[in-house]
Amino acid sequence: MYMSGRHQEGLAHLLYGINEGGGFVALTGEVGTGKTTICHCLLQDLPKHVDIAMILNPKMNALELLATICDELSIDYNTSQPSLKNLVDALNQYLLIAHAKGRRTVLLIDEAQNLSMEVLEQIRLLTNLETSKSKLLQIILVGQPELQWLLRKQELRQLNQRITARYHLLPLSLTETREYIRHRLYVCNGDTELFKATAIKKVYQYSSGIPRIINILCDRALLGAYAHNARVITPSIIDAAARETLAPFRGSRSRKILQLTLLLVSCVAFGLFYFKDLDRWVRLASTIEPVKQLSEPSVVMAVAKNVPPVETSPPIAVVAIQPAKAAEKFDAWLVNPDLTLSEGIENALKVWGQSPPDSGRADCNSLQKLNFSCVSGSATWKDLMSMRRPVILEFTSTDQSKRYLLMTGIKQGQAIFQHGREVSFPVADVLRYWNGRYLIIWHSSLPNVQAIYPGQTSDDVLWLRQQLTTNDAVDEQVSDPRFFDSGLLKRVKAFQLQHHLTEDGIAGTRTLFYLDNLTSSSNSPRLIIAD
């Protein structure tokens, strides 16, 4: 994600509100400036001691809001006969227990400009849940600029006074727009100079720096450039993209005034011309007589008598253009019911030079007999590139069924898959249907080890130290290198933090895979990435 200085400030305000506690925090901004995206970044950066209830659709009454908060925090309540009192009591009980455990609870409401006065008053009352020293619930309101006007109402002055931090998220500047576009191109391994500087200025003029509109314009511009086989994005391509994607140019007041002026001048000119040659028009009208009516009742043909025919150009010959043969579309290809997880695992085994299990159906349980492990989870495209392993991707096809494909490489913007034969599709199409889930089969250097725990003494712990030393170059002097001590625990946690793994200090399957992935021999299959 590209975090401009403004987005960083907005996120800092939210983190401040969470860490300091007490009162409300308000984040506002125009539509498409990235408020919800900042909220999702906040979820990734939450301190470990914070529990959060996130409300994305606040169009509800006070009772429904309280029930939703309880659902988000997994608070038990009487669902058959919920009441405001019962819900508040259940919430208060939960907050007191969480506070006693040293945990902080946060309520984040997106699209808060849609909250009714009744609900806002109920939210204000929730801040009365407190101990003698601190508030039990921190509330963050995120919304469009209308939220600012809503909070200024006389009826909400008590709530407005309790807002301890406010931030209004502005659109990107021209410089930030340029950096944002180049950042997106860099992340997808593209040419950062693909958009000409003049084209970026056009993008900024049309979008006014709003990221959502920048995305729409640039996406359509890339499609237009592809259609015309253009190598760079020019201002004319941006103009065409704007005509196709944006509402009629809102342009400016000056353009509207210019259009009205031109219309007025045209009317005056036509009037002068008409009245100057009025006699000639009358004489010409007398030479015209109606002829038979055509199929449309309102259309009447007229022909002039004794008027010489107007010379016309020869008719233009119509040339039939044969459409090019359509390439195989990725979404249509995903409909294939043979794209099962079992088939993907079998293809992965072939890449390792292994035959499928004798039992027939290949799955993670049958792989254990072959000393293979399954490493699965959710990841970003960038994470997959860093793993550099053949990977089975999970897709959601157009009919909402799951499909699985083994990806073995990426070349010139094409993702290469193995399915009986080698097939390739544009990475952009693949990303449109990939749901973020993956599975990698891995032959561990420690085939009989599922995890290495603190306090354990074994040769596996020695191997773990050696692998970590290859990564962090730390060569500890310990009395017993086969013992999993507190120093090794810190190193494992640091490694897990570095690779976005769960920081539990236990070297489980995923941690072992990442360690082995950094130091494994060249005999292990690798994801082929070429320009």
Side-chain angles (χ1 to χ4, degrees):
M1 177 184 169
Y2 172 75
M3 289 288 283
S4 70
R6 305 169 196 220
H7 289 85
Q8 291 176 15
E9 285 184 36
L11 181 60
H13 274 72
L14 298 186
L15 288 171
Y16 166 80
I18 287 176
N19 291 322
E20 296 301 319
F24 290 80
V25 176
L27 172 68
T28 56
E30 260 302 341
V31 176
T33 49
K35 302 182 297 297
T36 303
T37 305
I38 288 180
C39 292
H40 287 293
C41 284
L42 175 69
L43 294 179
Q44 296 179 10
D45 292 340
L46 276 180
K48 292 182 179 180
H49 66 286
V50 172
D51 300 314
I52 189 166
M54 189 168 180
I55 310 296
L56 298 177
N57 181 18
K59 282 193 173 183
M60 54 185 78
N61 58 38
L63 185 64
E64 292 170 336
L65 178 75
L66 285 172
T68 304
I69 295 172
C70 290
D71 291 338
E72 285 285 310
L73 296 172
S74 301
I75 300 174
D76 292 329
Y77 62 93
N78 186 354
T79 56
S80 59
Q81 293 180 331
S83 66
L84 287 175
K85 182 181 184 305
N86 292 339
L87 291 171
V88 172
D89 289 346
L91 179 60
N92 188 41
Q93 179 79 10
Y94 170 88
L95 294 174
L96 287 170
I97 295 174
H99 178 74
K101 294 179 179 179
R103 302 197 64 79
R104 188 184 296 278
T105 307
V106 177
L107 169 62
L108 190 151
I109 303 177
D110 198 6
E111 302 294 346
Q113 76 279 352
N114 295 322
L115 292 169
S116 65
M117 301 292 288
E118 172 204 3
V119 174
L120 280 169
E121 177 61 17
Q122 181 62 57
I123 291 173
R124 181 188 69 81
L125 293 175
L126 291 180
T127 59
N128 292 334
L129 303 177
E130 57 186 355
T131 64
S132 58
K133 294 183 179 180
S134 63
K135 301 284 185 182
L136 294 176
L137 183 65
Q138 174 67 53
I139 300 175
I140 299 174
L141 300 177
V142 180
Q144 297 171 16
E146 294 86 341
L147 177 62
Q148 295 176 323
W149 297 100
L150 184 63
L151 294 175
R152 290 173 188 165
K153 288 188 175 183
Q154 182 70 10
E155 306 93 302
L156 296 176
R157 62 187 183 279
Q158 293 187 56
L159 189 155
N160 199 26
Q161 291 171 0
R162 297 190 185 190
I163 297 178
T164 57
R166 306 172 193 258
Y167 188 77
H168 185 70
L169 185 62
L170 295 173
L172 303 178
S173 65
L174 174 59
T175 300
E176 289 170 332
T177 300
R178 183 182 301 109
E179 292 175 353
Y180 174 61
I181 293 173
R182 290 177 175 172
H183 168 81
R184 294 290 295 266
L185 291 168
Y186 173 77
V187 168
C188 71
N189 200 27
D191 180 7
T192 56
E193 302 300 323
L194 185 62
F195 285 73
K196 284 189 171 183
T198 50
I200 293 178
K201 287 183 179 179
K202 277 282 186 182
V203 171
Y204 179 71
Q205 290 171 6
Y206 281 115
S207 67
S208 300
I210 295 177
R212 182 180 297 161
I213 301 180
I214 294 173
N215 294 343
I216 293 171
L217 277 174
C218 291
D219 182 74
R220 177 60 64 172
L222 289 170
L223 181 62
Y226 169 74
H228 293 88
N229 200 28
R231 297 297 177 183
V232 293
I233 308 298
T234 60
S236 61
I237 294 177
I238 299 298
D239 287 333
R243 288 193 298 270
E244 295 171 2
T245 58
L246 302 183
F249 183 63
R250 298 170 294 188
S252 47
R253 188 173 168 189
S254 60
R255 173 158 181 164
K256 294 181 180 178
I257 293 174
L258 177 62
Q259 289 174 341
L260 290 173
T261 304
L262 290 174
L263 179 61
L264 180 61
V265 170
S266 299
C267 292
V268 171
F270 177 77
L272 291 173
F273 172 77
Y274 177 79
F275 286 108
K276 179 180 178 181
D277 292 331
L278 182 60
D279 291 340
R280 186 171 67 83
W281 282 99
V282 171
R283 289 195 303 273
L284 180 61
S286 65
T287 66
I288 297 176
E289 64 179 10
V291 295
K292 68 176 183 178
Q293 194 171 348
L294 298 182
S295 57
E296 290 287 342
S298 60
V299 179
V300 177
M301 288 290 291
V303 63
K305 292 185 287 186
N306 303 323
V307 178
V310 180
E311 293 184 4
T312 59
S313 302
I316 299 175
V318 179
V319 180
I321 301 175
Q322 297 297 329
K325 185 178 179 181
E328 193 172 16
K329 296 296 182 71
F330 185 67
D331 55 348
W333 199 69
L334 276 182
V335 178
N336 186 351
D338 294 333
L339 302 178
T340 62
L341 178 58
S342 177
E343 197 263 357
I345 292 176
E346 288 182 9
N347 287 329
L349 284 173
K350 292 176 183 177
V351 172
W352 277 89
Q354 294 286 330
S355 300
D358 297 332
S359 58
R361 185 176 180 83
D363 55 27
C364 290
N365 290 329
S366 62
L367 288 180
Q368 293 179 359
K369 300 176 182 178
L370 302 173
N371 291 329
F372 281 90
S373 301
C374 285
V375 180
S376 61
S378 298
T380 65
W381 192 255
K382 189 176 180 181
D383 291 336
L384 293 184
M385 297 305 99
S386 66
M387 293 182 197
R388 298 296 292 265
R389 293 279 188 172
V391 56
I392 299 170
L393 303 182
E394 181 181 291
F395 298 93
T396 304
S397 67
T398 52
D399 61 356
Q400 299 305 308
S401 57
K402 302 299 182 186
R403 298 288 187 264
Y404 300 88
L405 276 169
L406 174 69
M407 184 174 70
T408 56
I410 299 173
K411 185 176 182 180
Q412 297 178 347
Q414 298 280 320
I416 302 170
F417 297 99
Q418 296 293 332
H419 177 61
R421 58 186 176 89
E422 187 176 279
V423 292
S424 61
F425 295 96
V427 170
D429 291 347
V430 173
L431 290 175
R432 191 168 289 117
Y433 292 93
W434 180 47
N435 59 21
R437 299 286 302 173
Y438 74 93
L439 185 144
I440 295 174
I441 71 165
W442 166 56
H443 186 68
S444 172
S445 301
L446 305 172
N448 298 318
V449 177
Q450 297 297 320
I452 306 175
Y453 296 90
Q456 184 177 339
T457 302
S458 67
D459 292 334
D460 300 331
V461 177
L462 178 61
W463 176 89
L464 178 61
R465 287 186 186 276
Q466 293 169 346
Q467 298 296 100
L468 286 171
T469 300
T470 303
N471 176 70
D472 57 20
V474 175
D475 189 9
E476 292 180 319
Q477 299 298 321
V478 293
S479 57
D480 185 1
R482 298 175 68 254
F483 175 66
F484 199 135
D485 57 13
S486 59
L488 184 59
L489 176 65
K490 292 180 181 178
R491 294 176 66 190
V492 171
K493 285 188 174 181
F495 180 84
Q496 290 171 332
L497 176 63
Q498 177 186 357
H499 294 279
H500 311 291
L501 303 171
T502 302
E503 299 171 55
D504 55 8
I506 300 172
T509 302
R510 288 173 61 81
T511 302
L512 293 175
F513 165 73
Y514 272 84
L515 274 170
D516 188 52
N517 204 37
L518 296 174
T519 57
S520 62
S521 66
S522 58
N523 295 329
S524 300
R526 291 287 176 174
L527 189 69
I528 300 171
I529 301 178
D531 296 331

